[in-house]
Amino acid sequence: MANSEDKFYKRRLRTSYISVVVSIALVLFMLGTFATMLLQAEDMARQIRENFTFTVLLKNTSSEGDVRQFQKELELSDKVVGTDFITKDQAAEELEAELGEEFVEYLGYNPLSDVIEVHMTSEFVSSGDVEAFEAELRESGLVSDVSYDPNLLNLVNDNIKRIGSYLLGGAILLIFISIAMINSSIRLSIYSKRFTIKTMQLVGATKPFIQRPFMAQSVKLGLIGGLIASALLMLILEFGKSNFSTWGMEATPKMMAITVGGMILFGAFLAWSCTFFAVKRYLNLKTDDLYR
């Protein structure tokens, strides 16, 4: 009889642990997926900003040596990611290919200018100091004009900020939901052991002594849930990379390290904190209140 009861309680305990691990794993998987989207969105925003181009038109009187020196100075600036030098002959060939007409031969000369396309850093493009940089470029004796689309720049920055706000709000909401769900699962697990907790307290065990095994077990369950969630997330990302590579969505090793590490640590910490408060609650309850 005692043996069957032991088996029954062990089975209930195992079921309780499995329920907690599954809850933690599913919640962390959703949270990790959202975190990956956030990091990917940030990387895409950086790429979009760095694709924004300043077209610097050079004077026809500029020597090749001066132009190369000017280009090198631009590339050394902490505001610039890179530059591309396009000669007026290259520009003419590209334009003729687009138009389908040889306008240089028709005009008898090439009306275009040598240009340097300047790609700015993401931080600088979003800072709003673009006009100051334009004025700085125009001060050079080699520059005849600077061309860029300020309306497009403002539109890009506004949309990136708006999308970032939506994603951040969604992440905060998801964190609160995950805390509530994991806390509920752990409290149910601790509830089934409330009489054990109170019995240990009645025979003289101190609160830290009673809490210690529960805390250690909860951290273990949180780590297991985090590892399961991380494995699921990596499988999903690998599947997406193999089947939807044309979308350009690929998690970098750094991104995966941040996401996986964050999931595991968050799972362990959340399980530990929820267990701490749940056990503390039953330690502070009177014996009669355990039956309610």
Side-chain angles (χ1 to χ4, degrees):
M1 181 69 178
N3 190 32
S4 62
E5 286 184 359
D6 288 342
K7 288 183 178 179
F8 173 74
Y9 285 115
K10 286 181 180 179
R11 188 163 56 250
R12 284 190 61 184
L13 193 61
R14 261 198 315 269
T15 303
S16 174
Y17 287 157
I18 291 172
S19 174
V20 171
V21 169
V22 170
S23 298
I24 291 174
L26 290 177
V27 170
L28 289 180
F29 172 70
M30 291 189 295
L31 199 60
T33 303
F34 207 87
T36 303
M37 291 172 59
L38 270 174
L39 292 172
Q40 185 70 52
E42 182 180 350
D43 187 58
M44 290 181 67
R46 179 186 58 77
Q47 292 180 28
I48 291 171
R49 287 194 176 110
E50 290 180 357
N51 282 330
F52 188 81
T53 304
F54 277 81
T55 302
V56 181
L57 284 75
L58 303 172
K59 294 179 180 178
N60 291 327
T61 56
S62 304
S63 67
E64 183 178 349
D66 290 339
V67 170
R68 293 298 181 185
Q69 180 63 32
F70 179 59
Q71 183 181 10
K72 186 177 293 185
E73 291 174 358
L74 287 174
E75 291 178 345
L76 291 174
S77 172
D78 56 359
K79 304 173 184 175
V80 177
V81 174
T83 63
D84 295 309
F85 176 64
I86 302 174
T87 66
K88 60 182 181 181
D89 293 332
Q90 291 174 325
E93 289 178 5
E94 292 177 4
L95 186 57
E96 285 179 344
E98 290 181 9
L99 297 176
E101 297 180 5
E102 297 182 356
F103 66 89
V104 174
E105 183 178 345
Y106 176 78
L107 295 174
Y109 71 99
N110 186 352
L112 304 179
S113 303
D114 294 337
V115 301
I116 297 177
E117 291 188 345
V118 183
H119 300 278
M120 314 304 300
T121 62
S122 174
E123 295 78 11
F124 178 74
V125 171
S126 62
S127 68
D129 295 333
V130 174
E131 293 182 359
F133 183 72
E134 178 189 3
E136 181 182 329
L137 289 174
R138 291 183 184 276
E139 291 177 0
S140 172
L142 303 177
V143 177
S144 63
D145 196 10
V146 178
S147 175
Y148 74 98
D149 190 341
N151 293 327
L152 176 61
L153 177 62
N154 292 331
L155 181 63
V156 167
N157 282 328
D158 290 343
N159 285 338
I160 288 176
K161 289 178 182 177
R162 188 178 298 111
I163 293 171
S165 298
Y166 292 154
L167 289 175
L168 182 61
I172 293 172
L173 178 62
L174 191 57
I175 287 173
F176 280 114
I177 293 173
S178 66
I179 291 172
M181 290 182 66
I182 293 176
N183 182 56
S184 177
S185 297
I186 289 177
R187 287 187 66 179
L188 284 172
S189 174
I190 300 298
Y191 175 80
S192 64
K193 304 167 193 170
R194 65 194 186 281
F195 293 109
T196 303
I197 293 171
K198 185 55 67 175
T199 301
M200 293 173 68
Q201 189 177 22
L202 291 174
V203 298
T206 62
K207 290 183 178 181
F209 180 83
I210 297 171
Q211 286 177 317
R212 197 174 299 121
F214 289 100
M215 309 300 289
Q217 185 66 35
S218 67
V219 170
K220 188 187 298 183
L221 296 178
L223 290 173
I224 294 172
L227 289 171
I228 294 173
S230 300
L232 287 173
L233 181 61
M234 286 190 285
L235 285 173
I236 292 296
L237 289 175
E238 189 62 33
F239 176 78
K241 180 181 176 181
S242 302
N243 294 275
F244 305 103
S245 57
T246 54
W247 290 6
M249 299 284 287
E250 184 175 346
T252 63
K254 180 181 178 181
M255 184 189 301
M256 282 306 304
I258 293 173
T259 305
V260 170
M263 288 166 63
I264 294 173
L265 291 177
F266 182 72
F269 171 75
L270 193 55
W272 179 90
S273 58
C274 291
T275 302
F276 175 81
F277 289 109
V279 174
K280 185 178 179 181
R281 176 175 179 270
Y282 289 113
L283 284 172
N284 294 330
L285 280 179
K286 294 180 180 180
T287 306
D288 293 339
D289 294 332
L290 296 177
Y291 296 92
R292 296 178 181 178

